[in-house]
Amino acid sequence: MSYLKAAVFDWAGTIIDFGSRAPMEAFVEVFQRFGVTLTVAEARGPMGLPKLDHIRALGELDSVRSQWRAAKGSDFDEAAAQAIYEVFVPLNAEVVSDFADLVPGAAQTVSALRARGLKIGSTTGYTRDIMERLLPLAAAQGYAPDNLVCAGDLWTGRPTPAMMWKCFLDLQIDDPATVVKVDDTGVGILEGKRAGAWTVGVSLSGNEVGLSPEDLAALPDRERATLNTRAREKLLDAGADFVIDSVADLPALLPEIESVLLRRRAVA
């Protein structure tokens, strides 16, 4: 018998797209089209936010504001963010299918969780339009969650708990402490924490390291370990209860989470 009732997964960097690379190409390209040079590191900063909020956050960077003013003769404002967003969504939808491979071990992890009786939920900073491209590609690889909540589905998104609340309703969960939220960004961890769920960060597969499996494997062991340590620290600083390398490590962690859950309930 499992005392946990559901796991809610993020998508890019957590379940699909090892390194969360698809959004980076789109962000760099769309800003370039508006006369602003954006580095990949800058583009990664607000990852996890709904994409319009992500664009707004990038517009607050000094380098972006100065380049925008030079290119457009005006300050970066809400109209600018909306204009970029209108170009970004179809651009991201075009490239996202090129980064749709499941993270190694993801399908097996989901199967193991279902075997324990857990429901599988999902939230994402992607819009519904973008996810329409990804859903069949993920399903063909064996991943079809029980629900999906996208950026734009609700009046607000991450880092608020609103999308998690929708997952609770969809999955018929009445106790947040029986849910595990798995995410590769600090914003996604906050989403889970504020909803009262257990939070598990994924370090090596996600945005904080940002490398493909091949590029990661090519690194010297020491450099790979350093990148992993930095990613783990960021996720822990965001409030993650646990951090694992990737979702492949989640099944082995669940007994520990259940043990802590039972001890806390015994004390209460």
Side-chain angles (χ1 to χ4, degrees):
M1 175 183 176
S2 176
Y3 291 92
L4 295 171
K5 301 304 179 186
V8 177
F9 293 97
D10 173 54
W11 281 78
T14 300
I15 284 287
I16 62 165
D17 186 9
F18 196 109
S20 191
R21 291 165 291 139
M24 297 310 104
E25 284 201 4
F27 279 123
V28 171
E29 170 64 21
V30 74
F31 272 85
Q32 189 66 51
R33 292 187 185 185
F34 284 83
V36 175
T37 299
L38 191 69
T39 68
V40 171
E42 288 172 332
R44 285 194 180 279
M47 270 300 290
L49 290 173
K51 294 301 177 273
L52 179 55
D53 290 339
H54 190 134
I55 291 168
R56 290 172 177 144
L58 292 175
E60 293 297 318
L61 297 176
D62 289 341
S63 62
V64 172
R65 296 183 72 85
S66 61
Q67 289 183 74
W68 185 272
R69 194 175 297 112
K72 303 297 182 182
S74 60
D75 290 335
F76 191 100
D77 56 13
E78 181 61 20
Q82 292 288 345
I84 292 174
Y85 181 71
E86 288 180 8
V87 179
F88 172 84
V89 172
L91 179 62
N92 199 179
E94 287 177 11
V95 303
V96 76
S97 59
D98 295 331
F99 298 88
D101 288 347
L102 292 187
V103 169
Q108 294 85 344
T109 287
V110 170
S111 294
L113 268 56
R114 289 196 187 279
R116 293 174 65 99
L118 274 69
K119 298 175 182 178
I120 306 299
S122 68
T123 69
T124 180
Y126 281 148
T127 63
R128 187 69 58 170
D129 289 346
I130 294 172
M131 289 307 300
E132 286 178 357
R133 301 278 188 101
L134 281 177
L135 286 173
L137 297 175
Q141 299 171 74
Y143 181 61
D146 298 318
N147 90 318
L148 169 65
V149 188
C150 299
D153 284 356
L154 305 175
W155 78 100
T156 189
R158 299 168 178 168
T160 79
M163 292 199 292
M164 287 293 292
W165 292 340
K166 182 63 165 62
C167 285
F168 296 161
L169 292 172
D170 290 347
L171 303 178
Q172 299 181 351
I173 299 295
D174 59 9
D175 184 355
T178 64
V179 177
V180 177
K181 174 68 196 309
V182 188
D183 207 291
D184 67 308
T185 68
V187 170
I189 293 297
L190 282 172
E191 173 189 40
K193 293 294 289 185
R194 292 175 178 177
W198 296 92
T199 53
V200 177
V202 290
S203 54
L204 278 180
S205 73
N207 178 70
E208 295 300 340
V209 172
L211 297 176
S212 70
E214 297 77 17
D215 289 342
L216 188 64
L219 293 178
D221 290 346
R222 180 175 294 181
E223 186 175 350
R224 186 165 56 251
T226 297
L227 290 173
N228 196 19
T229 297
R230 290 174 182 170
R232 290 177 62 86
E233 288 174 351
K234 287 186 177 181
L235 292 164
L236 289 169
D237 287 346
D241 297 305
F242 303 91
V243 179
I244 54 182
D245 287 352
S246 79
V247 289
D249 303 314
L250 184 62
L253 177 63
L254 293 187
E256 181 177 353
I257 295 176
E258 289 196 328
S259 177
V260 176
L261 173 61
L262 291 175
R263 287 201 303 270
R264 288 181 179 179
R265 288 188 168 177
V267 171

